[in-house]
Amino acid sequence: MPIILALESSCDDTGAAVIADGVLLANVVATQKVHEQYGGVVPELASRAHQQHLLPVVTAALAEAGISKAQLTAVAATQGPGLLGSLLVGTMFAKTLALALGIPLIGVNHMRAHILAHFLGAARPAFPFLCLTVSGGHTQLVVVRSALAMEVIGQTTDDAAGEAFDKTAKLLGLPYPGGPLLDQLARTGDPRRFAFPSGAMGGYDFSFSGLKTAVLYFLKKQVALNEHFIAENLADLCASIQHTIVGTLLHQLRRAAAATGLTQVALAGGVAANSGLRAALRAEAETQGWTVFIPDFAFCTDNAAMVAMAAHFQFEAGDFASQLLSPDPRLKL
Ligand code: KG4
Ligand code: ZN
């Protein structure tokens, strides 16, 4: 029975998880608060914080799982994509531990892990399925043929969906990360009050930088006429922005599902928490006859449990890394 310790350190969350024969035994995450004051992740501070958090997080995960280091069968770490300094901390730790314990090393693709988070819970899609991965760093439409064979059919050409939420929220004066707050405020607003441009591109690609610019110029114009414009229309602004982002995502998802004939539709990444996206996806599923899969929120945001699940599939396939494993900030799916 493989018992794997998995590490996640691609961005600003330090995670460690233990999985035994595909069953999650522990999942610990330390979120870095240091970035809030800067309104975004500061890479150098992220890697320093990973260095501080990693050992305590690993120790806590092993204790929670009731597993000793000697019982481990393999060690896994996120290889990429992500921030180079952050990835270096996790991969170096995993390489060192694997070498010291004389056990195999597994390098995990972070985007694949987001998708394989669907296999941590009870409701699991069957292969093949379509997955929309939406986070602060990524927006991808993926045809998932198996745990190890995935094809990106659409992606963002500039900002990620989460970035679109965070950057427009910042323009409205909301603190970082603004996505969850914008979602909350949107609940009482009118989504059709203001019209912003869709980010649906050719093929199944996305572009959200135009939305950010459109919101910026719209607000500048309105605030020049009425300095209280944002405060007086905050809920409607949030609802209209959310409506635009969700509409863009759903538009491409609908087209991709029609073209591939896939009827199992999965959502992954931190933006899966967005209530507007969840509601729109559920409504669309009813119309289209899709079965929708959304993992628990703890498995949507960055975490090591999903890395552990991916590592489990790779272990079964004999997909191991050597001590030459190096982080790849731009690792492709
Ligand atoms: O997956 P994640 O935790 O980290 C990355 O890998 O990026 O995603 C974080 C992103 C942030 O942009 C955050 O604002 C967004 O997910 N987010 C949301 C909501 N909850 C988190 N965006 C909109 N509505 C939400 N409820
Ligand atoms: Zn992520």
Side-chain angles (χ1 to χ4, degrees), residues 93-119:
F93 190 106
K95 282 164 77 168
T96 310
L97 191 59
L99 192 63
L101 296 173
I103 57 177
L105 177 69
I106 300 171
V108 172
N109 183 305
H110 180 83
M111 301 314 293
R112 195 196 277 179
H114 266 302
I115 293 171
L116 295 175
H118 285 97
F119 295 84

Side-chain angles (χ1 to χ4, degrees), residues 27-160:
N27 181 37
V28 178
V29 60
T31 301
Q32 304 177 2
K33 295 275 172 223
V34 62
H35 309 286
E36 276 169 15
Q37 60 188 304
Y38 301 102
V41 177
V42 183
E44 175 62 24
L45 296 180
S47 37
R48 288 187 205 186
H50 282 304
Q51 224 152 8
Q52 287 168 349
H53 292 166
L54 198 49
L55 191 55
V57 159
V58 165
T59 307
L62 288 171
E64 194 180 309
I67 294 290
S68 71
K69 286 197 277 289
Q71 288 174 281
L72 292 173
T73 321
V75 184
T78 300
Q79 186 189 0
L83 301 168
L84 180 60
S86 293
L87 292 166
L88 259 172
V89 178
T91 51
M92 283 308 295
F93 190 106
K95 282 164 77 168
T96 310
L97 191 59
L99 192 63
L101 296 173
I103 57 177
L105 177 69
I106 300 171
V108 172
N109 183 305
H110 180 83
M111 301 314 293
R112 195 196 277 179
H114 266 302
I115 293 171
L116 295 175
H118 285 97
F119 295 84
L120 288 161
R124 302 172 176 197
F127 298 112
F129 62 93
L130 190 62
C131 187
L132 175 67
T133 311
V134 271
S135 75
H138 301 276
T139 302
Q140 289 186 336
L141 255 172
V142 182
V143 174
V144 187
R145 299 207 170 84
S146 75
L148 305 177
M150 305 183 182
E151 187 193 346
V152 179
I153 58 167
Q155 57 196 322
T156 183
T157 55
D158 40 58
D159 292 348

Side-chain angles (χ1 to χ4, degrees), residues 9-36:
S9 71
S10 65
C11 190
D12 61 341
D13 293 305
T14 316
V18 179
I19 198 164
D21 209 18
V23 177
L24 186 69
L25 298 184
N27 181 37
V28 178
V29 60
T31 301
Q32 304 177 2
K33 295 275 172 223
V34 62
H35 309 286
E36 276 169 15

Side-chain angles (χ1 to χ4, degrees), residues 299-326:
F299 300 146
C300 282
T301 55
D302 286 349
N303 66 86
M306 67 183 195
V307 179
M309 195 70 238
H312 171 78
F313 281 113
Q314 287 177 251
F315 185 96
E316 289 199 316
D319 179 11
F320 300 108
S322 76
Q323 279 289 326
L324 296 176
L325 175 84
S326 60

